[in-house]
Amino acid sequence: MQLSFGFMTENHLKLLVVGSGGREHALVWKLKQSPRVEKIYCAPGNGGISAIADCAPIAADDVEALADFAQTEKIDLTIVGPERPLTLGLVDRFAERGLAAFGPSKAAAELEGSKIFAKQFMQRHAIPTAGFEVYDAYAEAVNHVNESHIDFPLVIKADGLAAGKGVIMASTPAEAQTALRQMMGEKIFGEAGRRVVIEECLTGEETSFMVFSDGEFVQPLAAARDYKRIYDDDQGPNTGGMGAFSDDDLLSRATRKLILDRIVYPTIHGMAAEGRPYKGVLYVGLMLTSAGPKVLEFNARLGDPETQVVLPRLESDLLPVLEAVTNETLFKTELQWSRKAALSVVLASAGYPGPYEKDRLVTGVDMAEEEDNVVVFHSGTRRESDRYYTNGGRVLAVTALGNDLSAAIIKSYEAVNKIHFDGMHCRRDIGARGLRRIRMPDSIHD
Ligand code: AMP
Ligand code: GLY
């Protein structure tokens, strides 16, 4: 499908960002800096976003209502943050209605929407990933985990979307059996767990590598590292992400090249060859193993909280690259990245990642943002009479740029210390592992 929209050369553009988290706040914040943007709407948005954009109370997965809104408000480009509307086919539906939307089609978003599709796709195209088996019957899956030659720990994944929770590590056959019963029998992740992937556990450092793709060409974003566990030293349960950092030392030039040559290009070319051209942001979750980088997962969108550290490092206007992806002219686009390091610390509500408190007054955000190179992205707040109240498990992502990672760590935590709400908690070690790295001689700039 070759689509071309007239907005390439126009100014005074109207944009709609779909979503309500810190990622969408960062997108709106960055797009607002574009001299060609006249107005930005966000649906449904949050407290922080409502201070810089017009929020429309439409759910992020209400595709038809979003299309109606885009049509009525004459939106030039809609940018989709979360995965659900993509797997529901928002981009396809907008195209049918003559509306431009940034993101992969439903068929391309299968890379995130079905882990079985993603694994079998990687197998077809010899893309390095953990060895795996697919099961759609509980009894056979249980037999498999009880076979004597199986190494533990192993990883059990629900096939479909499960809000980042559909992955269970099992250390013993008994734990594996329990996980399978919960997923396939009790359906704790609903239909997402009807089929499962059972895969080998990989060890190494995790890295998030995102690229823009227009179906053929690729423009990498700066790499990032996110911190999924709730407690310091990667202890406790997984969360939506408790912080992230991005700097030039995260990946050596050789590793970047390996990731592009062995993973990213074969994925983009493979998707095109299978009649599912991939347009949008491809997020590759990687494990840097001793045998080279291997894919843990694909996401069909920008990562959260990775976006909150990657976009502040982007010196170029974001709008032209979104247009180039949509219009399939990415080969003409260059992105300039700051050499600075960016780091983001997530402040969470009491109880998170379990049931959490809401409606606590948030103070100190203005003071935190008075410092140069500090920006506070809102993940779960609401605004009332110019005051912010907590309205989610993850509340704020406090982000700072520094000349190097240590400077970014110090600046972020100084800003964190100015902010308060009852029950607030955060990790105190975001970026700390990064400091122990050996500095790589090469960087993405040379
Ligand atoms: P996913 O949703 O597939 O990214 O899985 C969530 C998290 O589980 C990943 O970010 C990893 O930390 C972990 N994980 C997933 N697959 C594996 C694997 N094969 N080996 C080790 N850790 C994994
Ligand atoms: N930070 C991981 C994700 O966005 O899925």
Side-chain angles (χ1 to χ4, degrees):
M1 180 171 43
Q2 170 69 51
L3 287 173
S4 194
F5 294 93
F7 54 75
M8 284 285 286
T9 51
E10 285 171 25
N11 289 319
H12 312 298
L13 297 184
K14 286 185 176 180
L15 307 178
L16 168 63
V17 172
V18 175
S20 61
R23 164 183 51 209
E24 288 74 23
H25 191 179
L27 273 167
V28 170
W29 169 85
K30 179 68 186 167
L31 287 165
K32 249 189 107 81
Q33 296 165 23
S34 171
R36 291 175 43 223
V37 171
E38 181 178 300
K39 193 163 175 75
I40 306 186
Y41 296 93
C42 187
N46 64 35
I49 297 174
S50 75
I52 57 168
D54 275 18
C55 290
I58 307 171
D61 56 4
D62 191 344
V63 172
E64 223 46 55
L66 291 166
D68 290 342
F69 182 85
Q71 200 144 31
T72 312
E73 297 299 331
K74 301 195 167 48
I75 300 294
D76 296 289
L77 181 64
T78 295
I79 300 112
V80 185
E83 59 277 15
R84 178 83 57 189
L86 296 168
T87 57
L88 289 174
L90 181 147
V91 174
D92 313 64
R93 184 65 190 129
F94 270 50
E96 279 165 18
R97 294 180 58 170
L99 298 163
F102 175 88
S105 65
K106 183 176 178 165
E110 273 286 276
L111 273 185
E112 175 165 7
S114 166
K115 292 195 190 291
I116 296 176
F117 172 79
K119 295 296 290 192
Q120 293 175 339
F121 172 86
M122 287 187 268
Q123 197 169 44
R124 285 196 289 282
H125 296 278
I127 294 165
T129 187
F132 71 100
E133 303 280 343
V134 170
Y135 289 96
D136 53 17
Y138 172 70
E140 284 170 27
V142 169
N143 283 344
H144 174 72
V145 300
N146 284 314
E147 281 169 35
S148 55
H149 64 91
I150 300 290
D151 286 332
F152 281 84
L154 52 72
V155 184
I156 301 177
K157 299 183 173 185
D159 175 47
L161 292 182
K165 297 189 196 111
V167 174
I168 296 180
M169 302 273 179
S171 307
T172 61
E175 275 180 30
Q177 193 162 339
T178 304
L180 289 168
R181 193 184 62 239
Q182 289 171 338
M183 279 190 199
M184 303 181 88
E186 296 159 18
K187 297 252 167 71
I188 59 166
F189 304 125
E191 279 307 298
R194 196 170 55 77
R195 299 201 295 160
V196 297
V197 173
I198 301 182
E199 70 179 36
E200 147 198 32
C201 185
L202 301 175
T203 52
E205 287 282 320
E206 266 189 73
T207 303
S208 310
F209 193 82
M210 299 182 277
V211 299
F212 290 108
S213 168
D214 65 359
E216 188 178 359
F217 293 93
V218 160
Q219 272 290 348
L221 285 85
R225 163 102 163 74
D226 83 339
Y227 291 77
K228 290 201 170 76
R229 304 292 196 93
I230 184 76
Y231 301 126
D232 287 9
D233 293 323
D234 293 330
Q235 302 296 309
N238 266 345
T239 69
M242 294 301 291
F245 77 87
S246 172
D247 73 355
D248 285 352
D249 295 333
L250 201 48
L251 291 177
S252 70
R253 199 162 53 146
T255 306
R256 254 173 75 82
K257 186 166 169 5
L258 265 182
I259 294 169
L260 286 166
D261 289 345
R262 303 247 174 105
I263 295 171
V264 173
Y265 299 140
T267 302
I268 297 302
H269 297 154
M271 289 296 278
E274 295 194 10
R276 302 172 187 249
Y278 194 97
K279 290 170 60 168
V281 170
L282 176 69
Y283 169 123
V284 189
L286 294 161
M287 191 69 92
L288 305 179
T289 75
S290 53
K294 294 191 178 183
V295 178
L296 292 173
E297 64 166 339
F298 287 119
N299 291 325
R301 51 169 174 83
L302 287 160
D304 188 336
E306 288 90 335
T307 305
Q308 292 91 304
V309 288
V310 168
L311 289 187
R313 297 189 63 208
L314 179 60
E315 289 177 341
S316 319
D317 188 350
L318 178 61
L319 182 63
V321 68
L322 302 184
E323 290 171 328
V325 166
T326 314
N327 283 333
E328 301 176 8
T329 54
L330 196 56
F331 67 95
K332 293 185 193 162
T333 310
E334 286 256 358
L335 297 179
Q336 295 299 324
W337 295 96
S338 162
R339 286 168 187 255
K340 288 192 159 87
L343 185 116
S344 191
V345 180
V346 169
L347 307 184
S349 296
Y352 181 78
Y356 51 81
E357 294 177 353
K358 273 193 192 176
D359 301 317
R360 300 289 185 264
L361 179 67
V362 181
T363 58
V365 172
D366 292 351
M367 250 191 334
E369 285 190 317
E370 271 168 16
E371 278 295 316
D372 278 351
N373 288 318
V374 171
V375 49
V376 179
F377 296 118
H378 294 228
S379 308
T381 64
R382 63 181 175 80
R383 194 162 62 111
E384 202 181 293
S385 320
D386 280 335
R387 291 178 148 201
Y388 294 113
Y389 294 86
T390 64
N391 191 34
R394 289 187 298 164
V395 177
L396 300 169
V398 182
T399 307
L401 285 169
N403 284 339
D404 57 22
L405 186 57
S406 349
I409 294 174
I410 291 166
K411 231 175 155 74
S412 299
Y413 280 103
E414 276 173 4
V416 165
N417 290 340
K418 295 178 185 164
I419 299 176
H420 175 80
F421 51 88
D422 284 347
M424 171 180 128
H425 62 105
C426 67
R427 278 181 63 158
R428 289 278 162 189
D429 66 340
I430 304 300
R433 280 175 77 89
L435 288 182
R436 292 201 287 272
R437 291 167 314 191
I438 299 162
R439 237 185 131 75
M440 299 290 177
D442 52 14
S443 79
I444 64 169
H445 294 288
D446 48 26

